Amino acid sequence: MSYLLHIDSSSLGADSVSRQVAQTFRDSWRGPVVHRDLAVVPVPHLSAAGIAARRSDEAGRNPEQAAAAEMQQELVGEFLGASAFLFTVPMYNYSMPSVFKAWLDQVMVVGATMGLPDGPPAAGRPALVISARGGGYGPGTPNHGMDHVVPTLETVLGHRQTLGLDVSVLTPELTLAPVVPYMSQFMPLHEASLADSHEQARKLAEAFQAGR
């Protein structure tokens, strides 16, 4: 059975703008969903045992390696079983939350999800990345060029040498405008960015389903 795999990584719970926009996508989605909330139940960072487990057969693994292999196989199977993907990955200190990086390191396995002769098995499947950020990072802004979330994820998720997904991105910006006094001047821009993100999330949910 195919499904939408929804991976959350925001630590803010219901107050997260990334999660709120993701919920708009979910409200328009018709079909099964597998949801993994990394902020609530994080996956472990890739360890020496996890790397060794990828290089050894089952019979030769020690207990630590066997446990790491079992967890990796669960995450990889969950990834490969999805027909579409929804990732909420807010900008934290110019980069992605560490829990999302840990998940990526566990599912990016040569010979399983990448590095195969015919390309990645999930190639071409649609994926939406929602990455809210407190400031503005577009051309002409003081922060332009300092976004180390979206360019990284477009490569890691979308390049044919990695996972090969068909990646779309929404970046609701200036989320600090309602709470930081000196940024209140940017409220109209924040509100416009947020409204557009919600609208695009609805449209992308419909587009993803039309392509199934």
Side-chain angles (χ1 to χ4, degrees):
M1 178 182 69
S2 63
Y3 47 82
L4 173 73
L5 179 59
H6 179 191
I7 303 293
D8 264 322
S9 64
S10 173
S11 298
L12 286 177
D15 292 331
S16 163
V17 171
S18 297
R19 288 178 184 259
Q20 291 165 12
V21 175
Q23 188 58 53
T24 294
F25 182 101
R26 289 280 303 270
D27 289 344
S28 297
W29 180 262
R30 299 294 178 265
V33 178
V34 172
H35 181 213
R36 185 175 287 271
D37 192 336
L38 299 176
V40 176
V41 184
V43 301
H45 289 278
L46 188 61
S47 64
I51 295 172
R54 298 178 180 183
R55 300 172 178 171
S56 60
D57 59 34
E58 186 174 354
R61 294 172 185 155
N62 63 34
E64 186 180 5
Q65 292 167 354
E70 182 179 5
M71 187 270 301
Q72 287 181 26
Q73 289 163 7
E74 176 186 348
L75 295 175
V76 167
E78 190 174 81
F79 174 83
L80 292 176
S83 59
F85 303 86
L86 175 61
F87 302 116
T88 57
V89 192
M91 178 186 287
Y92 287 175
N93 299 316
Y94 303 105
S95 187
M96 71 184 78
S98 64
V99 291
F100 192 78
K101 181 60 166 61
W103 178 84
L104 280 174
D105 289 341
Q106 296 288 1
V107 300
M108 297 182 70
V109 180
V110 174
T113 58
M114 56 185 287
L116 285 85
D118 296 328
R125 299 180 194 176
L128 173 58
V129 173
I130 300 172
S131 180
R133 56 276 315 281
Y137 292 82
T141 66
N143 291 328
H144 185 228
M146 299 173 69
D147 177 356
H148 302 292
V149 182
V150 170
T152 299
L153 291 182
E154 287 178 330
T155 298
V156 173
L157 297 172
H159 198 282
R160 184 161 176 80
Q161 293 182 357
T162 52
L163 298 177
L165 303 178
D166 182 7
V167 179
S168 300
V169 179
L170 296 177
T171 54
E173 294 196 317
L174 299 162
T175 61
L176 289 177
V179 295
V180 176
Y182 80 86
M183 291 185 65
S184 61
Q185 61 185 306
F186 300 117
M187 274 296 295
L189 293 174
H190 161 63
E191 290 171 347
S193 175
L194 183 58
D196 181 66
S197 293
H198 280 291
E199 178 61 22
Q200 294 304 316
R202 282 189 287 269
K203 291 180 177 179
L204 284 166
E206 294 169 1
F208 282 17
Q209 293 174 107
R212 287 195 300 184

